Amino acid sequence: MTEPRKINWQQWLFILGFVVSLVIVVVFALQAFRHAPRPRADEPIRSWMTIPYVSHSYHIPEYVLYQALDLPRVPRDRRPLTAIARLQKRTVASVITALQDAIKLSRPPYPTPLPFPPGATPPPTPPPAVPRGPA
């Protein structure tokens, strides 16, 4: 019977280096996963947000939000909602409520219809209205 082969110091050093490198890779992978950007869609409106940020997050044109606050559209406007509220002498809560109402009104209240599956016949469309002449 053969004796188990002994591991010399160079092989131990190699194994130790391999284990340390695996630990480092796992730590960095966990950090990258934890700090990965998450999609920012419909997140609650906060006082630090800007109009362009809210517009991007909710997929609403900026002009809709500026109209809701009675503000002229300013290119590259990076004022947070707290500064806008202070400028208008309003509370931040009322500014956020106005933005939420504008978002609700600018979105359709119904889901978009799904396309018809292949082979299915769509329902008949009504005939166009005939314009009437002066009576």
Side-chain angles (χ1 to χ4, degrees):
M1 191 164 196
T2 61
E3 285 186 33
R5 201 170 136 209
K6 293 184 178 179
I7 299 175
N8 63 19
W9 68 272
Q10 294 166 334
Q11 291 170 325
W12 277 115
L13 190 62
F14 177 77
I15 292 170
L16 180 68
F18 184 74
V19 169
V20 167
S21 64
L22 277 178
V23 168
I24 290 172
V25 166
V26 167
V27 166
F28 277 103
L30 289 175
Q31 281 185 343
F33 180 73
R34 193 169 50 125
H35 295 294
R38 288 161 182 79
R40 293 188 164 106
D42 290 0
E43 64 180 289
I45 300 175
R46 306 275 187 226
S47 62
W48 58 264
M49 294 180 176
T50 63
I51 299 286
Y53 185 92
V54 174
S55 167
H56 180 76
S57 176
Y58 283 84
H59 304 288
I60 301 292
E62 287 182 22
Y63 74 88
V64 171
L65 302 177
Y66 281 110
Q67 284 177 352
L69 298 177
D70 294 325
L71 287 174
R73 188 183 183 297
V74 179
R76 297 192 180 116
D77 186 8
R78 298 290 177 222
R79 294 177 294 176
L81 297 180
T82 52
I84 293 172
R86 201 176 314 121
L87 177 75
Q88 293 186 339
K89 295 178 177 48
R90 297 169 69 177
T91 64
V92 176
S94 69
V95 169
I96 290 174
T97 303
L99 292 177
Q100 289 171 337
D101 292 343
I103 290 167
K104 285 178 194 171
L105 290 175
S106 66
R107 288 186 169 169
Y110 50 85
T112 55
L114 297 173
F116 285 95
T121 57
T125 56
V130 179
R132 296 184 182 185

